[in-house]
Amino acid sequence: MSAASSRSAIAVPSVGQLVIPLCAACVIALLSAPALAHDAKPTAAKPQGWSYPFACCANYDCHEVSQTSISERPEGYVIKDTGEVLAYSDRRIKDSPDGEFHWCAHEAGLDAGKTICLFVPPSSY
């Protein structure tokens, strides 16, 4: 038997046969991963920090903002950077666990800069 005929007897999988199982494994891994939110920085009120709810962020959309970044007017909370007004009854307004303002907004795309959630200090602070 010649060397050429012995090489042709070895079955080599095609690229398609390798890519499909790899893609399927990636999809399964992504779908089975837990939905995690990212954490707010520790403060005096919450020295261990706290986690933003997943509904408010996708691991990067939230951050603490200064009290001067948010103003209160009769019509609601005003985000000074964007001019967006959130009525006091807006479902996106949440109590801040650490007594600081935290703003969650879309970072990119058509909704860039629009508020997802606004954490405000409860009136007891």
Side-chain angles (χ1 to χ4, degrees):
M1 181 186 246
S2 73
S5 63
S6 66
R7 279 191 218 133
S8 64
I10 299 172
V12 177
S14 70
V15 174
Q17 290 173 325
L18 296 174
V19 171
I20 292 172
L22 180 61
C23 288
C26 289
V27 168
I28 291 169
L30 288 172
L31 293 176
S32 63
L36 301 173
H38 70 99
D39 295 332
K41 294 178 182 174
T43 62
K46 287 283 190 175
Q48 301 300 317
W50 56 280
S51 293
Y52 296 110
F54 185 74
C56 291
C57 69
N59 294 330
Y60 56 85
D61 297 323
C62 299
H63 60 278
E64 184 178 336
V65 293
S66 69
Q67 292 183 347
T68 59
S69 299
I70 311 293
S71 63
E72 293 184 53
R73 302 237 174 104
E75 60 274 13
Y77 292 100
V78 178
I79 313 296
K80 289 187 179 178
D81 286 349
T82 64
E84 185 179 12
V85 178
L86 289 112
Y88 293 112
S89 60
D90 195 306
R91 294 175 51 182
R92 296 175 290 173
I93 296 174
K94 315 284 184 203
D95 283 338
S96 173
D98 63 3
E100 302 294 332
F101 284 98
H102 297 262
W103 184 43
C104 306
H106 296 278
E107 295 289 323
L110 296 175
D111 290 333
K114 291 189 179 178
T115 300
I116 303 168
C117 293
L118 178 65
F119 292 88
V120 300
S123 55
S124 63
Y125 273 93

